Amino acid sequence: MAVDYTVIVIYLAGMLAMGWWGMRRARSKSEFLVAGRRLGPGMYSGTMAAIVLGGASTIGGVGLGYQYGLSGAWMVFTIGLGLLALSVFFSARIARLKVYTVSEMLDLRYGGRAGVISGVVMWAYTLMLAVTSTIAYATIFDVLFDMNRTVAIILGGSIVVAYSTLGGMWSITLTDMVQFVVKTIGVLLLLLPIAVVKAGGFGEMRAKLPTSYFDPLGIGGETIFTYVLIYTFGMLIGQDIWQRVFTAGSDRTAKWGGTVAGTYCLVYALAGAVIGTAAKVLYPKLGNADDAFATIVKDELPVGVRGLVLAAALAAVMSTSSGALIACATVANNDIWARLRGRTGTEAHDEVRGNRAFILVMGLGVICTAIALNNVVEALTVAYNLLVGGLLVPILGGLLWKRGTAQGALASVVVGGLAVVGLMAGYGILANEPVYYGLLSSLVAYVAVSLATPATDTAVLDAWRERLAGREVPQPVPASR
């Protein structure tokens, strides 16, 4: 394993080095939080694909392939569909808003009264997303070094917190590009063909497995519908995703760069399912489907290649973790803390240092929470249920329905969020009903309260349309150097 260890150590050291390099570029709020809003198509596509394809998409996607066959691709496939929908229909308008958070968008659309409550819901989502990614370090480092779970979480989490704190979005963008390349080589170009060959090819796989493993809908219609509801719609409104849209250098980059990233996700989804199916042929009696990825890597890949593929898994986890962490810190600082303190945009303060401090504090909180929690699936389900049940309707409603009002948006966030929490307590965290009924209650509250209250002020809507058209760009507050 010496060669594999060397590959991993070089990779981790490279992540820290890029964090240090990114610190030299992040000298303003815009550069620190959204990479100066000037990424080109190539870098934008790579970083967007990196953030949405995390540990759940890699380790979990292979596990679903092991359990269900090719239809196990649906979870990651719906993530790709969501990214495609965001890129084609919404990303250009979102990028033109020139904001930093989803809550700022809601304030612009509804007149400045939706921020704190929506910020709290978005903060809870990004926090749990960061926690689930951090928990995944334990699995990877256990395979690599037979490491204690807590130590593994602290080690992996500390590296992500370090480079994210140093350089903000610039560091995360640079590391995500490396992670994108490593994932592409490790998973698509190495693990996928090797796994298929080791399993005897597709003919042998078909001969040894039930026909259900090759049924595109074998995982079940209800499960696919739930994936669409949670992941496809979740991609449309998550702060971690929007913050990457804000980094685009142009409308065209946001639209077509995101389309390329979404297409890449579809390919990645199918690759994970095929790898899992091959693992089922090679190891038909694994106790846990999520062990399929680590097992096939550990037992079937040659020295050096094994290290690179494990680095690819580590890259998948780190990209999602860092993206969720900076999103969590951005929301906590800009949408919650600044508003509670009553800070105005004209106050003199070091915005880079303030955001850097929030990343550090949120990162420590994420590591501690990850140590305390065990169930990744439950934590991820809570995150997406809150996001979709509480924020999908007021966000899409604001973009698509001009009659929506601030009161309707607030009612939608509160009713949908409380309904999701209450239904998870009643039906169970992993049940489908909380997101179904939570989303429905959010929609009813939004429409009913909006129609029962005065329409949004014309001046607010006019300013909103100007921002959507890109004709009014706010002047940034000068940052301390």
Side-chain angles (χ1 to χ4, degrees):
M1 292 288 287
V3 175
D4 297 325
Y5 290 162
T6 301
V7 172
I8 298 295
V9 170
I10 291 173
Y11 168 77
L12 294 177
M15 296 300 99
L16 292 174
M18 289 189 177
W20 182 262
W21 188 85
M23 182 177 67
R24 299 170 64 87
R25 301 195 63 171
R27 297 182 177 273
S28 70
K29 180 179 180 180
S30 175
E31 289 172 337
F32 191 82
L33 294 182
V34 291
R37 305 187 195 274
R38 50 195 171 96
L39 296 189
M43 188 167 282
Y44 179 86
S45 297
T47 58
M48 183 63 86
I51 188 175
V52 300
L53 296 174
S57 300
T58 303
I59 298 171
V62 172
L64 287 171
Y66 182 89
Q67 191 172 358
Y68 298 104
L70 298 186
S71 67
W74 273 105
M75 184 187 77
V76 183
F77 200 82
T78 55
I79 290 174
L81 291 178
L83 186 52
L84 284 171
L86 174 70
S87 302
V88 172
F89 298 112
F90 300 108
S91 62
R93 287 190 287 172
I94 291 170
R96 287 196 292 265
L97 290 174
K98 303 296 184 184
V99 295
Y100 293 100
T101 68
V102 174
S103 293
E104 288 181 44
M105 166 264 170
L106 292 173
D107 278 351
L108 285 172
R109 167 60 181 80
Y110 295 111
R113 288 171 288 178
V116 174
I117 294 176
S118 62
V120 169
V121 175
M122 188 63 77
W123 173 80
Y125 156 72
T126 54
L127 177 70
M128 296 308 293
L129 186 61
V131 166
T132 58
S133 301
T134 304
I135 291 173
Y137 295 128
T139 301
I140 298 172
F141 282 112
D142 178 57
V143 174
L144 287 173
F145 308 116
D146 193 23
M147 187 177 290
N148 174 270
R149 177 182 183 276
T150 299
V151 175
I153 289 173
I154 293 173
L155 175 60
S158 296
I159 292 171
V160 169
V161 171
Y163 73 68
S164 300
T165 301
L166 286 172
M169 187 60 81
W170 267 122
S171 294
I172 292 171
T173 296
L174 295 169
T175 55
D176 276 358
M177 277 305 299
V178 174
Q179 289 158 357
F180 171 74
V181 171
V182 170
K183 280 191 287 191
T184 300
I185 296 173
V187 175
L188 297 185
L189 302 184
L190 292 176
L191 182 57
L192 175 60
I194 290 174
V196 172
V197 169
K198 291 284 187 178
F202 285 103
E204 188 69 14
M205 291 162 63
R206 282 185 173 275
K208 290 187 175 181
L209 295 174
T211 56
S212 62
Y213 267 69
F214 302 92
D215 180 358
L217 303 178
I219 199 170
E222 184 178 355
T223 298
I224 295 171
F225 177 74
T226 303
Y227 284 158
V228 170
L229 200 60
I230 293 178
Y231 296 113
T232 301
F233 285 117
M235 287 295 105
L236 298 179
I237 58 175
Q239 169 68 25
D240 52 324
I241 309 302
W242 277 40
Q243 200 156 342
R244 295 310 174 96
V245 175
F246 300 150
T247 67
S250 66
D251 295 356
R252 184 178 178 84
T253 295
K255 182 175 182 178
W256 295 111
T259 301
V260 170
T263 304
Y264 178 90
C265 292
L266 303 184
V267 175
Y268 200 88
L270 183 59
V274 171
I275 293 167
T277 304
K280 183 66 175 180
V281 174
L282 295 168
Y283 312 99
K285 296 183 180 179
L286 288 179
N288 185 348
D290 284 341
D291 291 337
F293 180 89
T295 303
I296 197 169
V297 169
K298 189 174 182 180
D299 293 349
E300 303 297 336
L301 299 187
V303 172
V305 173
R306 179 171 51 202
L308 183 60
V309 173
L310 286 172
L314 197 58
V317 175
M318 284 187 161
S319 57
T320 300
S321 181
S322 59
L325 176 58
I326 194 172
C328 179
T330 302
V331 171
N333 187 17
N334 293 273
D335 291 339
I336 301 175
W337 180 243
R339 295 168 193 263
L340 292 177
R341 292 183 62 193
R343 178 191 292 169
T344 65
T346 59
E347 288 185 30
H349 58 283
D350 189 335
E351 291 180 308
V352 172
R353 185 172 64 180
N355 282 290
R356 184 174 282 140
F358 265 84
I359 290 178
L360 179 59
V361 171
M362 291 297 110
L364 294 175
V366 165
I367 291 172
C368 293
T369 305
I371 292 171
L373 292 180
N374 287 313
N375 195 313
V376 178
V377 176
E378 288 190 358
L380 192 64
T381 301
V382 170
Y384 275 97
N385 281 356
L386 283 172
L387 178 69
V388 174
L391 290 177
L392 177 67
V393 169
I395 292 172
L396 293 188
L399 289 169
L400 301 174
W401 190 42
K402 66 179 182 180
R403 185 60 181 83
T405 66
Q407 295 88 341
L410 287 172
S412 178
V413 173
V414 173
V415 171
L418 291 177
V420 164
V421 172
L423 290 166
M424 283 193 295
Y427 284 97
I429 290 176
L430 298 180
N432 292 329
E433 287 82 359
V435 71
Y436 292 169
Y437 299 136
L439 185 57
L440 179 60
S441 63
S442 178
L443 177 61
V444 170
Y446 180 70
V447 173
V449 175
S450 291
L451 292 176
T453 52
T456 304
D457 186 83
T458 303
V460 172
L461 289 178
D462 288 343
W464 166 252
R465 283 190 286 267
E466 288 293 309
R467 290 288 286 268
L468 279 179
R471 289 191 289 265
E472 181 182 333
V473 180
Q475 296 300 313
V477 178
S480 299
R481 297 268 178 150

